[in-house]
Amino acid sequence: MWYSGIAIRRLQQFSLTSLKTIRSPTHILQKEMSTLPRVYVTRQIPPEGLRILRESGQVQFELWDSDDVPVPRQELLQKVKGVDALLCVLTEKIDAELLDAAGPNLKVVSTMSVGFDHLSLEELKKREIRVGYTPEVLTDAVAELTVALLLTTSRRLIEATHEAKTGGWGTWRTLWLCGYELANSTVGILGLGRIGVAIAERLAPFKVKKFIYTDVAPRPELASLINAEYVSLDELAKQSDFLAVCCALTPETKEICNKDLFSKMKNTSVFINTSRGGVVNQEDLYEALSTGQIAAAGLDVTVPEPLPPSHPLFTLKNCVILPHIASASYTTRNAMSALAANNLLLGLRGEPLIKELKL
């Protein structure tokens, strides 16, 4: 079904006399809708974004009306034919095949995500299609979840809950379910951006001794906010008691967390990833965890997603896996959908996007 944000009150402005000279209000509405840019929305996004599209009066849009099941690829290829703009989420691969199917009318792709590894940026650039995304609005939610995952993993809360529920809670024992403290620790951040800074700001009250980070280059302005020291990737691995991965997935960072990195980490280190699953070689991580090379890992992202329940990582007590929920707060998801909708509308008008990927 195609929607329009044109308010009914626009039709009510016509007087009875005027109505005698036109065919019908329905005819006017259909005519106006036919001239509006066409938009396809690949998911039932949170209500704030849909409200903005409906009330804008600028577009007619159709959406895949489900939040549980992604739009099938073949249906997506059909639905995008002739559209002027596309609002997508990270489950849709926007590649040459899809862009060819959409055709030359496509001017804007707006993704409701901070990551953009599902977008073929070279293809979009070649076709001069503008790209909007949603960074910053999810910084607080992701930072909070990262800290929660770190504490859950380091203090073995999932194990403890299981023991309490299944009869393992016996007499008090001196070293039973002992974990690792943040006090006097060194926290390493792989990829220092706003989220990395927000994580460090939340961890500082736990009496962390030192923050270190590595990135493609030093980032002194951000580092000064948390008094963090720039180090090499090797030193990050060697020094970190807790290592939080916050980098984007790029060709350079693909499986950057691998056997070589894990071999340099302490056997008491805790590894946390809330960025993208592709930055980790999961076979190497499994080996490091199962052999005691590192103490524990907490993952909010995996490859693939969802990770099959039969995956070896699920067999490990020292690995906590969440279903990619870092930005899952009502406030943040609505803010993301609103930003994605506004990026799309601005792009169709040829105006600067609020948040645009520079291709």
Side-chain angles (χ1 to χ4, degrees):
M1 176 179 179
W2 290 95
Y3 293 91
S4 171
I6 300 175
I8 296 300
R9 65 176 179 272
R10 293 182 60 182
L11 299 179
Q12 296 171 339
Q13 292 171 356
F14 292 98
S15 66
L16 290 175
T17 303
S18 300
L19 288 174
K20 293 178 182 177
T21 64
I22 60 177
R23 292 175 62 183
S24 71
T26 301
H27 173 71
I28 293 172
L29 182 59
Q30 290 173 341
K31 185 176 180 181
E32 289 192 19
M33 286 181 64
S34 69
T35 63
L36 292 173
R38 293 175 59 211
V39 174
Y40 188 68
V41 183
T42 69
R43 190 65 69 90
Q44 188 186 71
I45 62 172
E48 187 61 19
L50 294 179
R51 182 191 65 78
I52 289 169
L53 292 179
R54 285 196 181 100
E55 296 181 2
S56 70
Q58 297 178 42
V59 296
Q60 49 180 322
F61 70 91
E62 184 179 8
L63 64 93
W64 173 251
D65 198 12
S66 172
D67 191 33
D68 297 321
V69 181
V71 56
R73 179 70 175 183
Q74 288 307 309
E75 178 155 355
L76 178 60
L77 293 175
Q78 288 295 319
K79 292 295 186 181
V80 298
K81 288 182 178 180
V83 299
D84 298 279
L86 180 67
L87 197 160
C88 66
V89 296
L90 51 80
T91 53
E92 278 67 69
K93 190 167 183 62
I94 311 302
D95 55 10
E97 179 187 36
L98 184 138
L99 298 175
D100 287 342
N105 287 347
L106 185 60
K107 302 177 184 67
V108 185
V109 170
S110 180
T111 181
M112 190 184 129
S113 65
V114 64
F116 43 83
D117 46 285
H118 58 300
L119 308 179
S120 297
L121 300 183
E122 286 302 317
E123 293 292 336
L124 290 159
K125 181 179 180 180
K126 185 167 64 176
R127 292 167 168 81
E128 298 183 344
I129 297 170
R130 298 173 71 185
V131 178
Y133 71 134
T134 60
E136 299 178 26
V137 294
L138 47 64
T139 297
D140 289 335
V142 174
E144 287 178 8
L145 189 281
T146 303
V147 172
L149 180 57
L150 186 153
L151 291 169
T152 297
T153 305
S154 63
R155 295 302 302 269
R156 302 170 66 179
L157 300 188
I158 303 299
E159 285 182 77
T161 300
H162 176 76
E163 292 295 325
K165 285 182 176 180
T166 58
W169 185 0
T171 185
W172 186 85
R173 285 160 275 177
T174 57
L175 292 177
W176 186 54
L177 290 174
C178 283
Y180 299 94
E181 295 182 21
L182 279 160
N184 298 310
S185 69
T186 296
V187 173
I189 299 170
L190 176 51
L192 185 66
R194 290 182 178 86
I195 292 175
V197 169
I199 291 168
E201 288 173 340
R202 285 158 174 78
L203 291 178
F206 286 88
K207 300 181 181 178
V208 170
K209 179 178 66 177
K210 181 179 175 184
F211 289 105
I212 58 177
Y213 77 100
T214 196
D215 212 315
V216 291
R219 308 194 67 179
E221 289 186 9
L222 286 174
S224 66
L225 299 175
I226 55 172
N227 195 27
E229 176 189 347
Y230 178 79
V231 297
S232 67
L233 183 61
D234 281 357
E235 283 302 311
L236 190 81
K238 291 175 183 177
Q239 294 186 37
S240 296
D241 296 301
F242 300 88
L243 200 166
V245 182
C246 306
C247 61
L249 177 58
T250 66
E252 292 73 30
T253 62
K254 183 176 173 58
E255 297 192 355
I256 192 172
C257 301
N258 52 29
K259 185 175 182 177
D260 183 59
L261 180 133
F262 298 132
S263 68
K264 295 180 174 68
M265 292 176 67
K266 305 172 186 178
N267 61 10
T268 55
S269 293
V270 175
F271 176 84
I272 303 293
N273 183 21
T274 54
S275 60
R276 283 292 183 267
V279 303
V280 178
N281 182 306
Q282 290 176 171
E283 288 72 26
D284 291 352
L285 177 60
Y286 174 81
E287 183 70 16
L289 289 168
S290 60
T291 61
Q293 193 166 56
I294 64 174
L299 311 174
D300 184 49
V301 287
T302 60
V303 177
E305 292 183 358
L307 192 66
S310 60
H311 195 281
L313 284 172
F314 279 120
T315 68
L316 301 175
K317 289 184 177 181
N318 59 343
C319 186
V320 177
I321 301 174
L322 303 180
H324 202 153
I325 59 167
S327 65
S329 76
Y330 292 111
T331 300
T332 291
R333 290 287 172 84
N334 268 295
M336 290 172 70
S337 72
L339 179 53
N342 283 315
N343 278 337
L344 182 145
L345 295 173
L346 288 166
L348 284 173
R349 296 203 300 265
E351 299 177 15
L353 276 60
I354 300 171
K355 292 296 176 182
E356 182 170 1
L357 274 173
K358 301 300 181 182
L359 304 180

PDB file of all heavy atoms in Angstrom, residues 288-324:
ATOM      1  N   ALA A 288      40.898 -19.358  21.510  1.00  0.00           N
ATOM      2  CA  ALA A 288      41.472 -18.589  22.622  1.00  0.00           C
ATOM      3  C   ALA A 288      40.680 -18.779  23.910  1.00  0.00           C
ATOM      4  O   ALA A 288      41.259 -18.879  25.000  1.00  0.00           O
ATOM      5  CB  ALA A 288      41.530 -17.110  22.246  1.00  0.00           C
ATOM      6  N   LEU A 289      39.377 -18.846  23.798  1.00  0.00           N
ATOM      7  CA  LEU A 289      38.524 -19.017  24.977  1.00  0.00           C
ATOM      8  C   LEU A 289      38.570 -20.442  25.515  1.00  0.00           C
ATOM      9  O   LEU A 289      38.622 -20.669  26.727  1.00  0.00           O
ATOM     10  CB  LEU A 289      37.077 -18.646  24.627  1.00  0.00           C
ATOM     11  CG  LEU A 289      36.786 -17.172  24.396  1.00  0.00           C
ATOM     12  CD1 LEU A 289      35.403 -16.992  23.771  1.00  0.00           C
ATOM     13  CD2 LEU A 289      36.884 -16.375  25.697  1.00  0.00           C
ATOM     14  N   SER A 290      38.536 -21.416  24.623  1.00  0.00           N
ATOM     15  CA  SER A 290      38.468 -22.818  25.056  1.00  0.00           C
ATOM     16  C   SER A 290      39.782 -23.317  25.627  1.00  0.00           C
ATOM     17  O   SER A 290      39.802 -24.257  26.433  1.00  0.00           O
ATOM     18  CB  SER A 290      38.036 -23.709  23.883  1.00  0.00           C
ATOM     19  OG  SER A 290      38.958 -23.622  22.811  1.00  0.00           O
ATOM     20  N   THR A 291      40.884 -22.681  25.248  1.00  0.00           N
ATOM     21  CA  THR A 291      42.196 -23.092  25.764  1.00  0.00           C
ATOM     22  C   THR A 291      42.658 -22.256  26.947  1.00  0.00           C
ATOM     23  O   THR A 291      43.720 -22.509  27.506  1.00  0.00           O
ATOM     24  CB  THR A 291      43.259 -23.010  24.657  1.00  0.00           C
ATOM     25  OG1 THR A 291      43.356 -21.642  24.198  1.00  0.00           O
ATOM     26  CG2 THR A 291      42.912 -23.923  23.485  1.00  0.00           C
ATOM     27  N   GLY A 292      41.881 -21.239  27.307  1.00  0.00           N
ATOM     28  CA  GLY A 292      42.283 -20.382  28.417  1.00  0.00           C
ATOM     29  C   GLY A 292      43.299 -19.329  28.033  1.00  0.00           C
ATOM     30  O   GLY A 292      43.906 -18.706  28.908  1.00  0.00           O
ATOM     31  N   GLN A 293      43.470 -19.107  26.726  1.00  0.00           N
ATOM     32  CA  GLN A 293      44.412 -18.075  26.284  1.00  0.00           C
ATOM     33  C   GLN A 293      43.941 -16.694  26.734  1.00  0.00           C
ATOM     34  O   GLN A 293      44.755 -15.835  27.081  1.00  0.00           O
ATOM     35  CB  GLN A 293      44.532 -18.125  24.759  1.00  0.00           C
ATOM     36  CG  GLN A 293      45.685 -17.326  24.199  1.00  0.00           C
ATOM     37  CD  GLN A 293      45.928 -17.697  22.751  1.00  0.00           C
ATOM     38  OE1 GLN A 293      45.028 -17.611  21.918  1.00  0.00           O
ATOM     39  NE2 GLN A 293      47.138 -18.123  22.431  1.00  0.00           N
ATOM     40  N   ILE A 294      42.618 -16.468  26.708  1.00  0.00           N
ATOM     41  CA  ILE A 294      42.025 -15.284  27.330  1.00  0.00           C
ATOM     42  C   ILE A 294      40.922 -15.766  28.277  1.00  0.00           C
ATOM     43  O   ILE A 294      40.449 -16.902  28.168  1.00  0.00           O
ATOM     44  CB  ILE A 294      41.472 -14.287  26.301  1.00  0.00           C
ATOM     45  CG1 ILE A 294      40.306 -14.887  25.506  1.00  0.00           C
ATOM     46  CG2 ILE A 294      42.573 -13.790  25.383  1.00  0.00           C
ATOM     47  CD1 ILE A 294      39.633 -13.884  24.575  1.00  0.00           C
ATOM     48  N   ALA A 295      40.520 -14.888  29.194  1.00  0.00           N
ATOM     49  CA  ALA A 295      39.608 -15.329  30.255  1.00  0.00           C
ATOM     50  C   ALA A 295      38.160 -15.448  29.795  1.00  0.00           C
ATOM     51  O   ALA A 295      37.471 -16.414  30.131  1.00  0.00           O
ATOM     52  CB  ALA A 295      39.694 -14.368  31.437  1.00  0.00           C
ATOM     53  N   ALA A 296      37.686 -14.459  29.043  1.00  0.00           N
ATOM     54  CA  ALA A 296      36.262 -14.446  28.703  1.00  0.00           C
ATOM     55  C   ALA A 296      36.010 -13.488  27.549  1.00  0.00           C
ATOM     56  O   ALA A 296      36.841 -12.621  27.239  1.00  0.00           O
ATOM     57  CB  ALA A 296      35.430 -14.029  29.920  1.00  0.00           C
ATOM     58  N   ALA A 297      34.844 -13.626  26.937  1.00  0.00           N
ATOM     59  CA  ALA A 297      34.438 -12.720  25.859  1.00  0.00           C
ATOM     60  C   ALA A 297      32.950 -12.443  25.957  1.00  0.00           C
ATOM     61  O   ALA A 297      32.158 -13.315  26.313  1.00  0.00           O
ATOM     62  CB  ALA A 297      34.771 -13.314  24.492  1.00  0.00           C
ATOM     63  N   GLY A 298      32.576 -11.205  25.631  1.00  0.00           N
ATOM     64  CA  GLY A 298      31.180 -10.802  25.535  1.00  0.00           C
ATOM     65  C   GLY A 298      30.932 -10.232  24.154  1.00  0.00           C
ATOM     66  O   GLY A 298      31.639  -9.316  23.720  1.00  0.00           O
ATOM     67  N   LEU A 299      29.960 -10.770  23.437  1.00  0.00           N
ATOM     68  CA  LEU A 299      29.699 -10.373  22.056  1.00  0.00           C
ATOM     69  C   LEU A 299      28.250  -9.933  21.899  1.00  0.00           C
ATOM     70  O   LEU A 299      27.337 -10.641  22.306  1.00  0.00           O
ATOM     71  CB  LEU A 299      29.965 -11.536  21.096  1.00  0.00           C
ATOM     72  CG  LEU A 299      31.292 -12.297  21.240  1.00  0.00           C
ATOM     73  CD1 LEU A 299      31.295 -13.503  20.305  1.00  0.00           C
ATOM     74  CD2 LEU A 299      32.468 -11.376  20.955  1.00  0.00           C
ATOM     75  N   ASP A 300      28.051  -8.785  21.279  1.00  0.00           N
ATOM     76  CA  ASP A 300      26.701  -8.368  20.891  1.00  0.00           C
ATOM     77  C   ASP A 300      26.506  -8.538  19.389  1.00  0.00           C
ATOM     78  O   ASP A 300      25.392  -8.378  18.896  1.00  0.00           O
ATOM     79  CB  ASP A 300      26.458  -6.907  21.275  1.00  0.00           C
ATOM     80  CG  ASP A 300      25.030  -6.462  20.990  1.00  0.00           C
ATOM     81  OD1 ASP A 300      24.098  -7.184  21.389  1.00  0.00           O
ATOM     82  OD2 ASP A 300      24.844  -5.404  20.357  1.00  0.00           O
ATOM     83  N   VAL A 301      27.576  -8.848  18.693  1.00  0.00           N
ATOM     84  CA  VAL A 301      27.550  -8.978  17.235  1.00  0.00           C
ATOM     85  C   VAL A 301      28.324 -10.229  16.825  1.00  0.00           C
ATOM     86  O   VAL A 301      29.328 -10.589  17.454  1.00  0.00           O
ATOM     87  CB  VAL A 301      28.155  -7.732  16.559  1.00  0.00           C
ATOM     88  CG1 VAL A 301      27.217  -6.545  16.652  1.00  0.00           C
ATOM     89  CG2 VAL A 301      29.503  -7.369  17.200  1.00  0.00           C
ATOM     90  N   THR A 302      27.854 -10.892  15.785  1.00  0.00           N
ATOM     91  CA  THR A 302      28.476 -12.135  15.336  1.00  0.00           C
ATOM     92  C   THR A 302      28.387 -12.237  13.818  1.00  0.00           C
ATOM     93  O   THR A 302      27.765 -11.408  13.154  1.00  0.00           O
ATOM     94  CB  THR A 302      27.760 -13.360  15.941  1.00  0.00           C
ATOM     95  OG1 THR A 302      26.382 -13.340  15.527  1.00  0.00           O
ATOM     96  CG2 THR A 302      27.838 -13.369  17.456  1.00  0.00           C
ATOM     97  N   VAL A 303      28.996 -13.282  13.283  1.00  0.00           N
ATOM     98  CA  VAL A 303      28.846 -13.653  11.870  1.00  0.00           C
ATOM     99  C   VAL A 303      28.513 -15.135  11.823  1.00  0.00           C
ATOM    100  O   VAL A 303      29.279 -15.948  12.321  1.00  0.00           O
ATOM    101  CB  VAL A 303      30.149 -13.390  11.074  1.00  0.00           C
ATOM    102  CG1 VAL A 303      29.983 -13.861   9.633  1.00  0.00           C
ATOM    103  CG2 VAL A 303      30.517 -11.903  11.111  1.00  0.00           C
ATOM    104  N   PRO A 304      27.352 -15.524  11.278  1.00  0.00           N
ATOM    105  CA  PRO A 304      26.296 -14.629  10.792  1.00  0.00           C
ATOM    106  C   PRO A 304      25.423 -14.152  11.946  1.00  0.00           C
ATOM    107  O   PRO A 304      25.658 -14.512  13.098  1.00  0.00           O
ATOM    108  CB  PRO A 304      25.495 -15.542   9.856  1.00  0.00           C
ATOM    109  CG  PRO A 304      25.603 -16.893  10.509  1.00  0.00           C
ATOM    110  CD  PRO A 304      27.004 -16.949  11.069  1.00  0.00           C
ATOM    111  N   GLU A 305      24.431 -13.366  11.603  1.00  0.00           N
ATOM    112  CA  GLU A 305      23.408 -12.975  12.567  1.00  0.00           C
ATOM    113  C   GLU A 305      22.048 -13.358  12.003  1.00  0.00           C
ATOM    114  O   GLU A 305      21.716 -12.927  10.904  1.00  0.00           O
ATOM    115  CB  GLU A 305      23.457 -11.468  12.846  1.00  0.00           C
ATOM    116  CG  GLU A 305      24.717 -11.056  13.600  1.00  0.00           C
ATOM    117  CD  GLU A 305      24.744  -9.567  13.943  1.00  0.00           C
ATOM    118  OE1 GLU A 305      23.796  -8.836  13.561  1.00  0.00           O
ATOM    119  OE2 GLU A 305      25.710  -9.143  14.597  1.00  0.00           O
ATOM    120  N   PRO A 306      21.261 -14.155  12.725  1.00  0.00           N
ATOM    121  CA  PRO A 306      21.578 -14.718  14.044  1.00  0.00           C
ATOM    122  C   PRO A 306      22.621 -15.829  13.961  1.00  0.00           C
ATOM    123  O   PRO A 306      22.730 -16.513  12.946  1.00  0.00           O
ATOM    124  CB  PRO A 306      20.231 -15.271  14.513  1.00  0.00           C
ATOM    125  CG  PRO A 306      19.497 -15.599  13.253  1.00  0.00           C
ATOM    126  CD  PRO A 306      19.905 -14.538  12.274  1.00  0.00           C
ATOM    127  N   LEU A 307      23.382 -15.988  15.038  1.00  0.00           N
ATOM    128  CA  LEU A 307      24.358 -17.058  15.123  1.00  0.00           C
ATOM    129  C   LEU A 307      23.614 -18.364  15.412  1.00  0.00           C
ATOM    130  O   LEU A 307      22.805 -18.416  16.336  1.00  0.00           O
ATOM    131  CB  LEU A 307      25.344 -16.764  16.246  1.00  0.00           C
ATOM    132  CG  LEU A 307      26.609 -17.631  16.300  1.00  0.00           C
ATOM    133  CD1 LEU A 307      27.486 -17.373  15.079  1.00  0.00           C
ATOM    134  CD2 LEU A 307      27.389 -17.352  17.585  1.00  0.00           C
ATOM    135  N   PRO A 308      23.844 -19.404  14.628  1.00  0.00           N
ATOM    136  CA  PRO A 308      23.124 -20.677  14.852  1.00  0.00           C
ATOM    137  C   PRO A 308      23.339 -21.197  16.271  1.00  0.00           C
ATOM    138  O   PRO A 308      24.463 -21.131  16.794  1.00  0.00           O
ATOM    139  CB  PRO A 308      23.743 -21.619  13.815  1.00  0.00           C
ATOM    140  CG  PRO A 308      24.303 -20.729  12.769  1.00  0.00           C
ATOM    141  CD  PRO A 308      24.761 -19.484  13.476  1.00  0.00           C
ATOM    142  N   PRO A 309      22.301 -21.689  16.927  1.00  0.00           N
ATOM    143  CA  PRO A 309      22.435 -22.223  18.290  1.00  0.00           C
ATOM    144  C   PRO A 309      23.465 -23.337  18.399  1.00  0.00           C
ATOM    145  O   PRO A 309      23.969 -23.601  19.492  1.00  0.00           O
ATOM    146  CB  PRO A 309      21.032 -22.742  18.611  1.00  0.00           C
ATOM    147  CG  PRO A 309      20.129 -21.963  17.716  1.00  0.00           C
ATOM    148  CD  PRO A 309      20.907 -21.724  16.458  1.00  0.00           C
ATOM    149  N   SER A 310      23.772 -23.996  17.281  1.00  0.00           N
ATOM    150  CA  SER A 310      24.760 -25.080  17.288  1.00  0.00           C
ATOM    151  C   SER A 310      26.197 -24.572  17.210  1.00  0.00           C
ATOM    152  O   SER A 310      27.138 -25.374  17.248  1.00  0.00           O
ATOM    153  CB  SER A 310      24.502 -26.023  16.107  1.00  0.00           C
ATOM    154  OG  SER A 310      24.593 -25.311  14.868  1.00  0.00           O
ATOM    155  N   HIS A 311      26.389 -23.256  17.117  1.00  0.00           N
ATOM    156  CA  HIS A 311      27.752 -22.731  16.973  1.00  0.00           C
ATOM    157  C   HIS A 311      28.584 -23.058  18.214  1.00  0.00           C
ATOM    158  O   HIS A 311      28.090 -22.956  19.348  1.00  0.00           O
ATOM    159  CB  HIS A 311      27.718 -21.221  16.761  1.00  0.00           C
ATOM    160  CG  HIS A 311      29.011 -20.671  16.252  1.00  0.00           C
ATOM    161  ND1 HIS A 311      30.093 -20.435  17.072  1.00  0.00           N
ATOM    162  CD2 HIS A 311      29.414 -20.337  15.000  1.00  0.00           C
ATOM    163  CE1 HIS A 311      31.099 -19.959  16.360  1.00  0.00           C
ATOM    164  NE2 HIS A 311      30.710 -19.885  15.093  1.00  0.00           N
ATOM    165  N   PRO A 312      29.844 -23.446  18.038  1.00  0.00           N
ATOM    166  CA  PRO A 312      30.709 -23.818  19.175  1.00  0.00           C
ATOM    167  C   PRO A 312      30.820 -22.753  20.260  1.00  0.00           C
ATOM    168  O   PRO A 312      30.982 -23.092  21.445  1.00  0.00           O
ATOM    169  CB  PRO A 312      32.067 -24.080  18.519  1.00  0.00           C
ATOM    170  CG  PRO A 312      31.749 -24.457  17.115  1.00  0.00           C
ATOM    171  CD  PRO A 312      30.532 -23.672  16.746  1.00  0.00           C
ATOM    172  N   LEU A 313      30.737 -21.474  19.896  1.00  0.00           N
ATOM    173  CA  LEU A 313      30.858 -20.425  20.913  1.00  0.00           C
ATOM    174  C   LEU A 313      29.780 -20.533  21.978  1.00  0.00           C
ATOM    175  O   LEU A 313      29.994 -20.168  23.142  1.00  0.00           O
ATOM    176  CB  LEU A 313      30.817 -19.034  20.262  1.00  0.00           C
ATOM    177  CG  LEU A 313      32.081 -18.575  19.538  1.00  0.00           C
ATOM    178  CD1 LEU A 313      31.822 -17.279  18.787  1.00  0.00           C
ATOM    179  CD2 LEU A 313      33.255 -18.407  20.509  1.00  0.00           C
ATOM    180  N   PHE A 314      28.602 -21.047  21.604  1.00  0.00           N
ATOM    181  CA  PHE A 314      27.523 -21.194  22.579  1.00  0.00           C
ATOM    182  C   PHE A 314      27.794 -22.299  23.603  1.00  0.00           C
ATOM    183  O   PHE A 314      27.095 -22.378  24.618  1.00  0.00           O
ATOM    184  CB  PHE A 314      26.193 -21.479  21.865  1.00  0.00           C
ATOM    185  CG  PHE A 314      25.521 -20.245  21.320  1.00  0.00           C
ATOM    186  CD1 PHE A 314      25.258 -20.131  19.966  1.00  0.00           C
ATOM    187  CD2 PHE A 314      25.131 -19.219  22.160  1.00  0.00           C
ATOM    188  CE1 PHE A 314      24.614 -19.007  19.460  1.00  0.00           C
ATOM    189  CE2 PHE A 314      24.489 -18.082  21.668  1.00  0.00           C
ATOM    190  CZ  PHE A 314      24.236 -17.982  20.309  1.00  0.00           C
ATOM    191  N   THR A 315      28.772 -23.133  23.347  1.00  0.00           N
ATOM    192  CA  THR A 315      29.087 -24.212  24.288  1.00  0.00           C
ATOM    193  C   THR A 315      30.001 -23.750  25.418  1.00  0.00           C
ATOM    194  O   THR A 315      30.217 -24.494  26.372  1.00  0.00           O
ATOM    195  CB  THR A 315      29.769 -25.385  23.552  1.00  0.00           C
ATOM    196  OG1 THR A 315      31.077 -24.969  23.090  1.00  0.00           O
ATOM    197  CG2 THR A 315      28.937 -25.855  22.363  1.00  0.00           C
ATOM    198  N   LEU A 316      30.516 -22.546  25.304  1.00  0.00           N
ATOM    199  CA  LEU A 316      31.507 -22.063  26.270  1.00  0.00           C
ATOM    200  C   LEU A 316      30.857 -21.257  27.388  1.00  0.00           C
ATOM    201  O   LEU A 316      30.094 -20.319  27.130  1.00  0.00           O
ATOM    202  CB  LEU A 316      32.549 -21.189  25.561  1.00  0.00           C
ATOM    203  CG  LEU A 316      33.332 -21.852  24.425  1.00  0.00           C
ATOM    204  CD1 LEU A 316      34.237 -20.826  23.748  1.00  0.00           C
ATOM    205  CD2 LEU A 316      34.159 -23.015  24.964  1.00  0.00           C
ATOM    206  N   LYS A 317      31.181 -21.592  28.615  1.00  0.00           N
ATOM    207  CA  LYS A 317      30.665 -20.842  29.753  1.00  0.00           C
ATOM    208  C   LYS A 317      31.262 -19.438  29.830  1.00  0.00           C
ATOM    209  O   LYS A 317      30.651 -18.534  30.409  1.00  0.00           O
ATOM    210  CB  LYS A 317      30.949 -21.589  31.060  1.00  0.00           C
ATOM    211  CG  LYS A 317      30.128 -22.844  31.248  1.00  0.00           C
ATOM    212  CD  LYS A 317      30.413 -23.461  32.613  1.00  0.00           C
ATOM    213  CE  LYS A 317      29.544 -24.683  32.867  1.00  0.00           C
ATOM    214  NZ  LYS A 317      29.801 -25.276  34.194  1.00  0.00           N
ATOM    215  N   ASN A 318      32.459 -19.283  29.297  1.00  0.00           N
ATOM    216  CA  ASN A 318      33.135 -17.988  29.397  1.00  0.00           C
ATOM    217  C   ASN A 318      32.890 -17.097  28.182  1.00  0.00           C
ATOM    218  O   ASN A 318      33.660 -16.172  27.900  1.00  0.00           O
ATOM    219  CB  ASN A 318      34.628 -18.165  29.630  1.00  0.00           C
ATOM    220  CG  ASN A 318      35.313 -18.965  28.529  1.00  0.00           C
ATOM    221  OD1 ASN A 318      34.649 -19.654  27.742  1.00  0.00           O
ATOM    222  ND2 ASN A 318      36.632 -18.905  28.468  1.00  0.00           N
ATOM    223  N   CYS A 319      31.793 -17.358  27.458  1.00  0.00           N
ATOM    224  CA  CYS A 319      31.434 -16.508  26.324  1.00  0.00           C
ATOM    225  C   CYS A 319      29.955 -16.120  26.442  1.00  0.00           C
ATOM    226  O   CYS A 319      29.081 -16.987  26.441  1.00  0.00           O
ATOM    227  CB  CYS A 319      31.680 -17.233  25.003  1.00  0.00           C
ATOM    228  SG  CYS A 319      31.438 -16.199  23.545  1.00  0.00           S
ATOM    229  N   VAL A 320      29.707 -14.828  26.570  1.00  0.00           N
ATOM    230  CA  VAL A 320      28.338 -14.301  26.654  1.00  0.00           C
ATOM    231  C   VAL A 320      27.972 -13.716  25.299  1.00  0.00           C
ATOM    232  O   VAL A 320      28.677 -12.842  24.782  1.00  0.00           O
ATOM    233  CB  VAL A 320      28.219 -13.224  27.745  1.00  0.00           C
ATOM    234  CG1 VAL A 320      26.812 -12.630  27.760  1.00  0.00           C
ATOM    235  CG2 VAL A 320      28.572 -13.807  29.105  1.00  0.00           C
ATOM    236  N   ILE A 321      26.868 -14.177  24.715  1.00  0.00           N
ATOM    237  CA  ILE A 321      26.462 -13.722  23.385  1.00  0.00           C
ATOM    238  C   ILE A 321      25.068 -13.118  23.457  1.00  0.00           C
ATOM    239  O   ILE A 321      24.122 -13.755  23.925  1.00  0.00           O
ATOM    240  CB  ILE A 321      26.490 -14.883  22.371  1.00  0.00           C
ATOM    241  CG1 ILE A 321      27.901 -15.476  22.290  1.00  0.00           C
ATOM    242  CG2 ILE A 321      26.032 -14.400  20.982  1.00  0.00           C
ATOM    243  CD1 ILE A 321      28.000 -16.715  21.423  1.00  0.00           C
ATOM    244  N   LEU A 322      24.950 -11.881  22.986  1.00  0.00           N
ATOM    245  CA  LEU A 322      23.668 -11.178  22.924  1.00  0.00           C
ATOM    246  C   LEU A 322      23.234 -11.039  21.461  1.00  0.00           C
ATOM    247  O   LEU A 322      24.074 -11.034  20.558  1.00  0.00           O
ATOM    248  CB  LEU A 322      23.791  -9.787  23.558  1.00  0.00           C
ATOM    249  CG  LEU A 322      24.269  -9.724  25.010  1.00  0.00           C
ATOM    250  CD1 LEU A 322      24.335  -8.268  25.467  1.00  0.00           C
ATOM    251  CD2 LEU A 322      23.346 -10.525  25.923  1.00  0.00           C
ATOM    252  N   PRO A 323      21.929 -10.884  21.205  1.00  0.00           N
ATOM    253  CA  PRO A 323      21.424 -10.834  19.830  1.00  0.00           C
ATOM    254  C   PRO A 323      21.401  -9.429  19.220  1.00  0.00           C
ATOM    255  O   PRO A 323      20.374  -8.948  18.754  1.00  0.00           O
ATOM    256  CB  PRO A 323      20.011 -11.406  19.969  1.00  0.00           C
ATOM    257  CG  PRO A 323      19.583 -10.993  21.331  1.00  0.00           C
ATOM    258  CD  PRO A 323      20.823 -11.030  22.181  1.00  0.00           C
ATOM    259  N   HIS A 324      22.555  -8.761  19.202  1.00  0.00           N
ATOM    260  CA  HIS A 324      22.727  -7.447  18.561  1.00  0.00           C
ATOM    261  C   HIS A 324      21.686  -6.440  19.069  1.00  0.00           C
ATOM    262  O   HIS A 324      20.857  -5.932  18.301  1.00  0.00           O
ATOM    263  CB  HIS A 324      22.642  -7.577  17.037  1.00  0.00           C
ATOM    264  CG  HIS A 324      23.304  -6.429  16.317  1.00  0.00           C
ATOM    265  ND1 HIS A 324      23.833  -6.537  15.059  1.00  0.00           N
ATOM    266  CD2 HIS A 324      23.517  -5.136  16.694  1.00  0.00           C
ATOM    267  CE1 HIS A 324      24.338  -5.383  14.670  1.00  0.00           C
ATOM    268  NE2 HIS A 324      24.165  -4.517  15.657  1.00  0.00           N
TER     269      HIS A 324
END
